[in-house]
Amino acid sequence: MGAGFGNGLTGDPIALAAVLAVIGVFVWALLSLRRLAREERKSRRRAVELEVRLNETETALAAEAHVLLIWRSRDILPDRVLGSMHGTVSLPSTRESLVDFPAWLAADSASALIEGIERLRRDGTPFNLGVVTASGELLEADGRTAGGLATLRFRPLAGERRNIAALSQEALVLGRQADRLRAVLDAAPLPIWLRAEDGRLVWVNQAYAAAVDAPDSDAAVARQSELASAATAGRVHAVVGGTMRTLEVVETPAAAGTAGFAIDMTALENAEKELDRHIKAHTSTLNKLDTAIAIFGPDQRLRFHNAAFAALWPLDANWLDTHPTDGEILDTLRNQRCLPEQANYREWKAKQLAAYTTLETRENWWHLPDGRTLHVVCEQHPFGGVTYLYENVTDELLLESRYNELIGVQRETLDNLGEGIALLGSDGRLKLFNPAFAEFWQLDPEVLAGEPHIEDLARHGRQLAAGANSWEEVRYSVTRLDAERKPITGKITVLDRILQFVAVPLPDGNTLLTFADISDSARMERALRDRADALEAADRLKNMFLSHVSYEIRTPLTSILGFAEGLQLGLAGPLNERQQDYVRDIRKSSSELKTIIDAIIDLTAIDAGALELKLERVDITNLLEAVAGKLASSIEDRDLTLNIEVGADVSSFVADPKRVEQILDNLLSNAIGFSKPGATIRMGAKRSRGQLQLWVSDQGCGIDPEFQKQAFDRFQSRPLPGGHRGPGLGLAIVKSFVELHEGQVSLLSKINQGTTVLCTFPLDGPAAAQRNSGAHPPRKTA
């Protein structure tokens, strides 16, 4: 459709009404035009008939009054003026005034006469007009050419001639009006058309032609181009100017057919669709809200409610779709005990419904019988009626109550804590404190309630804790702006108190300070530290004493063993059997004593870090057989059986063979000593998780569970009556030697079922040994 038609209307209802009014005028003009055309044709037919009759009587009227103007040249003034009106009509007397037609003729008559004279003198076109003078007299103006002359005759009209002139004048006016109306309708911005009785198009305007892509109106009529495929009244869709448009087609009956016009409703239809989308989007949004919403119209009937409203009240959904009134909903809710209890329900209901006649927004709190609390907001709707908002605040009130209760409990807890608590805000001011904080720093609670700044607190703290810079650290931690705020701890001596403080930055920018009075614990710590120092000194003295005594005893013991061995060999002469027994007992006891002394010396060396391991590749099978052969006589004396079990994947490992042999010797000796005659002892080696495990297991009486925790401590022994006993150094030295190899030792024992000791060693020796090519530095057990 043309640009004028496409942009001529808007979605404004007022503009649409104005356009409809103009269209009505256009339709009326069309109908008037057709009526005037018919009357014009009738008038012309009557004028022809009268002209015939006039010619018949022209001779009889020769003496009639008239004025004749004759032009022989192109001059404006006539060459001659003949005749007279005989007093019937007053005409100008001079040629100049006579041809000044606008001066003495009506405007329409003057313009029509001037136009007729111009055609007459230009191309000889005759004319016969009825003109009206300024005074209202009717004259006949007849223009003719004869032999190069142009004549114009005026004569008064009466009777039939007067009627003919009047009709001609009326037809002229109606024709001009019809031309004007046709021009207006043709320039209208919307398509307008006329149809014959058979439905054919007989006339269309330029907007119609542009809408159907016709070059002009005549081409559109010739092609019989229709706006839509179905030329029916109502809203239709048509392609106009290459674009799908929505048209509102209106056709009304007219004389000899119909008249119609089309209004472009595309913008209005798009606006309606957009409004519908907005309404659906708003409805969807409101249905997702937790707040119940109900909208009532000016007639107090329910217009809209969201899903939360339907879920809030036990109302039937189908009943709500019938748009009940506000009062009916209140009555239904009251019957279901879903409204606040009221002493005078009618008065309360009237106050609720008064919202439709007031402008201010009202808020109420409804405490329902079922324990719920609703915050109800009622406000005027822009299109009339009211909007209700029902917010269920039951959980919020319960949460607030619990929060207030929690704050109260927190306040009481802080007030009764022994530690001083202070909370500093991000602005550096004190926000929270307890009585212990005020007591520690001798501050007035009323002063603290005024939220003093950290600068004031630090100044007061420096006065009480002279020489301490802890408050400076706290002040810096509170006031620093970077994100790398970290907790700081420290101790401050305030008068007779020792306070331990912690400054913890919180995620919200605040800082929590805690001060704990550790005066008693500090004094206790100092006492324990002094006692530990004394015990450590006593332990060093004990080790020195044992080492010294052991060396002093070892020298004469070596002599005793040498002399006993000489006596047993007969160096001092032959010995009888009894003497031989004595010498054997002396040697046995001396060997046991020497073993104990060697153990004490080794433990002392380990404690002093002076014991070095001599690492080498040790054959495990040979090691186990050597230990078994060394104690073979003891095993035979007690009628025991020793089983040696070596895994197939075990061959050798890196260790100090002497110390490992001592480990196995101690373990096997203990197993022999605590085994009953006829029992079996198992000793073996296996590989587990890249490490070597040496173990010795017996079937003896087992170890008391309470004593197992102390079994590896020094000088811890639980001898059985009539059984094995020792100084309690065997397992202690086993543990020390194993840990010296960077290994571990464990014990598993059950009463009357036996004991198993498991020693775990690294296959490649201690890590330090690998770094030092076999030489292990002095080590000290834990």
Side-chain angles (χ1 to χ4, degrees):
M1 189 174 293
F5 173 55
N7 298 325
L9 296 178
T10 66
D12 189 353
I14 296 177
L16 180 60
V19 171
L20 292 176
V22 173
I23 292 172
V25 173
F26 290 164
V27 173
W28 173 83
L30 278 174
L31 298 178
S32 299
L33 176 63
R34 295 177 65 85
R35 181 175 60 81
L36 291 176
R38 290 196 305 273
E39 292 180 358
E40 181 183 6
R41 290 194 295 271
K42 291 179 180 179
S43 298
R44 290 186 182 278
R45 286 195 300 270
R46 291 181 61 187
V48 171
E49 294 173 359
L50 291 175
E51 182 67 24
V52 172
R53 294 174 61 184
L54 181 63
N55 292 332
E56 293 176 353
T57 59
E58 186 174 358
T59 304
L61 297 176
E64 190 177 24
H66 69 279
V67 173
L68 180 64
L69 281 71
I70 302 173
W71 284 273
R72 291 187 176 92
S73 64
R74 295 292 182 181
D75 201 3
I76 296 177
L77 295 176
D79 296 306
R80 294 185 64 183
V81 178
L82 302 175
S84 172
M85 288 296 178
H86 302 298
T88 57
V89 178
S90 177
L91 294 181
S93 58
T94 64
R95 292 185 301 168
E96 290 80 2
S97 59
L98 191 60
V99 296
D100 187 9
F101 302 117
W104 60 277
L105 290 177
D108 291 339
S109 298
S111 60
L113 182 59
I114 292 172
E115 183 179 352
I117 293 172
E118 289 179 353
R119 289 198 301 271
L120 176 67
R121 299 183 65 185
R122 183 178 65 248
D123 50 19
T125 303
F127 65 89
N128 186 276
L129 297 175
V131 296
V132 181
T133 65
S135 60
E137 294 293 335
L138 290 176
L139 297 175
E140 178 187 6
D142 184 62
R144 293 285 186 271
T145 57
L149 298 178
T151 63
L152 173 63
R153 183 174 64 173
F154 292 104
R155 54 185 174 176
L157 294 175
E160 292 292 336
R161 286 181 174 275
R162 185 179 183 89
N163 292 337
I164 293 173
L167 290 174
S168 299
Q169 184 67 25
E170 183 180 356
L172 178 64
V173 173
L174 291 176
R176 291 182 177 178
Q177 291 178 350
D179 291 339
R180 292 170 186 166
L181 287 175
R182 183 180 290 107
V184 171
L185 294 176
D186 197 48
L190 69 160
I192 303 174
W193 62 89
L194 295 175
R195 295 182 186 275
E197 293 181 351
D198 58 359
R200 293 182 302 102
L201 292 172
V202 296
W203 178 86
V204 297
N205 66 348
Q206 290 298 325
Y208 187 103
V212 297
D213 295 330
D216 52 33
S217 300
D218 295 337
V221 173
R223 297 176 185 175
Q224 291 293 303
S225 300
E226 296 288 349
L227 276 176
S229 58
T232 58
R235 186 167 294 189
V236 299
H237 293 84
V239 177
V240 179
T243 305
M244 180 64 70
R245 313 294 291 182
T246 301
L247 304 178
E248 185 71 27
V249 177
V250 178
E251 285 198 353
T252 181
T258 59
F261 60 89
I263 303 174
D264 188 354
M265 306 294 289
T266 305
L268 179 60
E269 184 177 69
N270 292 337
E272 291 174 350
K273 292 180 180 179
E274 184 67 20
L275 178 61
D276 184 62
R277 285 194 295 270
H278 279 292
I279 292 174
K280 291 181 179 179
H282 291 166
T283 301
S284 176
T285 301
L286 293 177
N287 281 329
K288 294 176 182 178
L289 294 178
D290 294 333
T291 302
I293 300 175
I295 300 176
F296 291 84
D299 57 354
Q300 299 187 12
R301 288 192 172 275
L302 182 65
R303 297 290 181 85
F304 170 80
H305 68 279
N306 64 350
F309 179 85
L312 180 65
W313 306 115
L315 299 174
D316 183 58
N318 296 327
W319 182 67
L320 291 176
D321 292 338
T322 63
H323 306 291
T325 64
D326 194 356
E328 292 172 347
I329 293 177
L330 291 177
D331 292 339
T332 304
L333 293 177
R334 179 173 180 262
N335 294 334
Q336 297 178 351
R337 298 193 75 247
C338 292
L339 292 179
E341 298 291 346
Q342 302 293 331
N344 190 338
Y345 171 71
R346 290 186 178 180
E347 180 180 354
W348 180 85
K349 177 183 176 182
K351 289 182 180 179
Q352 298 298 317
L353 298 180
Y356 292 89
T357 58
T358 58
L359 297 178
E360 67 273 5
T361 301
R362 299 193 308 177
E363 296 188 25
N364 294 298
W365 297 87
W366 289 6
H367 302 282
L368 305 184
D370 58 3
R372 293 181 297 171
T373 300
L374 302 181
H375 181 210
V376 182
V377 179
C378 176
E379 61 182 6
Q380 289 291 323
H381 194 273
F383 299 121
V386 297
T387 300
Y388 287 101
L389 304 178
Y390 305 88
E391 184 179 3
N392 190 347
V393 296
T394 307
D395 295 337
E396 286 79 355
L397 294 178
L398 180 61
L399 182 61
E400 182 179 359
S401 175
R402 291 180 178 177
Y403 173 77
N404 294 333
E405 181 182 356
L406 180 61
I407 291 297
V409 172
Q410 183 185 41
R411 181 74 265 178
E412 290 297 324
T413 302
L414 292 178
D415 290 346
N416 290 279
L417 283 178
E419 293 82 4
I421 304 295
L423 181 66
L424 295 166
S426 57
D427 57 355
R429 293 194 171 275
L430 182 66
K431 303 298 182 182
L432 180 68
F433 68 94
N434 66 344
F437 177 78
E439 179 184 355
F440 288 165
W441 293 103
Q442 298 182 3
L443 291 168
D444 187 356
E446 295 183 359
V447 175
L448 295 178
E451 298 187 358
H453 196 268
I454 182 63
E455 296 286 352
D456 301 327
L457 297 176
R459 188 181 306 109
H460 180 76
R462 287 193 298 268
Q463 294 175 358
L464 292 182
N469 60 353
S470 300
W471 270 106
E472 290 297 326
E473 297 179 6
V474 173
R475 182 185 65 81
Y476 178 69
S477 175
V478 171
T479 57
R480 67 186 301 179
L481 299 178
D482 57 352
E484 296 296 328
R485 299 202 310 159
K486 297 181 180 179
I488 60 173
T489 61
K491 296 180 181 179
I492 305 177
T493 301
V494 182
L495 302 178
D496 58 343
R497 284 192 176 97
I498 300 176
L499 301 180
Q500 183 175 16
F501 73 90
V502 179
V504 181
L506 302 179
D508 57 358
N510 297 335
T511 303
L512 178 65
L513 294 179
T514 61
F515 295 90
D517 187 355
I518 60 170
S519 303
D520 295 338
S521 59
R523 285 190 287 268
M524 183 64 70
E525 181 183 358
R526 187 180 302 109
L528 291 175
R529 188 178 292 109
D530 294 342
R531 183 172 181 275
D533 292 341
L535 290 175
E536 186 176 353
D539 188 61
R540 288 196 300 269
L541 181 61
K542 179 195 70 173
N543 290 336
M544 291 175 59
F545 171 76
L546 290 176
S547 177
H548 181 72
V549 170
S550 297
Y551 277 106
E552 292 300 327
I553 294 177
R554 190 174 186 181
T555 301
L557 183 60
T558 303
S559 300
I560 292 173
L561 284 172
F563 289 135
E565 185 179 358
L567 291 174
Q568 191 174 15
L569 294 174
L571 296 179
L575 300 177
N576 56 33
E577 184 176 354
R578 188 172 185 179
Q579 290 174 338
Q580 289 285 351
D581 292 338
Y582 287 159
V583 172
R584 280 196 298 272
D585 291 339
I586 292 173
R587 290 191 62 187
K588 181 179 179 182
S589 298
S590 298
S591 298
E592 293 176 354
L593 181 58
K594 183 177 181 297
T595 301
I596 294 172
I597 293 173
D598 289 340
I600 293 174
I601 293 173
D602 290 339
L603 291 174
T604 303
I606 292 173
D607 291 342
L611 183 63
E612 295 183 0
L613 294 178
K614 297 180 179 179
L615 302 176
E616 60 182 61
R617 180 65 62 177
V618 179
D619 186 276
I620 297 173
T621 303
N622 294 338
L623 176 65
L624 297 179
E625 290 178 352
V627 173
K630 184 177 180 181
L631 297 176
S633 58
S634 299
I635 294 173
E636 293 178 359
D637 292 343
R638 296 183 61 85
D639 192 19
L640 300 175
T641 301
L642 175 63
N643 292 336
I644 298 177
E645 303 172 4
V646 180
D649 56 347
V650 175
S651 59
S652 62
F653 73 112
V654 177
D656 186 334
K658 178 181 177 182
R659 303 307 176 186
V660 177
E661 185 176 342
Q662 284 183 258
I663 293 171
L664 294 175
D665 193 357
N666 280 297
L667 294 178
L668 189 56
S669 297
N670 284 344
I672 293 172
F674 288 99
S675 296
K676 297 178 180 180
T680 299
I681 299 174
R682 299 167 57 238
M683 179 173 64
K686 62 180 180 179
R687 190 168 182 171
S688 175
R689 297 180 182 178
Q691 294 180 319
L692 176 68
Q693 292 182 343
L694 299 178
W695 49 272
V696 176
S697 177
D698 61 55
Q699 300 174 346
C701 58
I703 302 176
D704 189 358
E706 296 181 359
F707 183 71
Q708 289 182 18
K709 300 178 182 179
Q710 308 171 6
F712 291 100
D713 295 342
R714 299 177 186 180
F715 302 106
Q716 296 296 328
S717 177
R718 289 289 182 91
L720 295 176
H724 176 77
R725 63 180 298 164
L729 295 176
L731 292 179
I733 199 167
V734 167
K735 182 174 182 294
S736 297
F737 283 160
V738 171
E739 291 179 348
L740 198 61
H741 283 81
E742 297 183 1
Q744 295 178 346
V745 61
S746 59
L747 180 144
L748 177 63
S749 180
K750 293 184 179 180
I751 299 297
N752 297 324
Q753 293 185 18
T755 301
T756 299
V757 180
L758 180 66
C759 301
T760 304
F761 297 89
L763 285 172
D764 297 327
Q770 298 179 17
R771 292 192 299 267
N772 295 287
S773 302
H776 195 284
R779 288 187 169 272
K780 190 173 185 178
T781 59

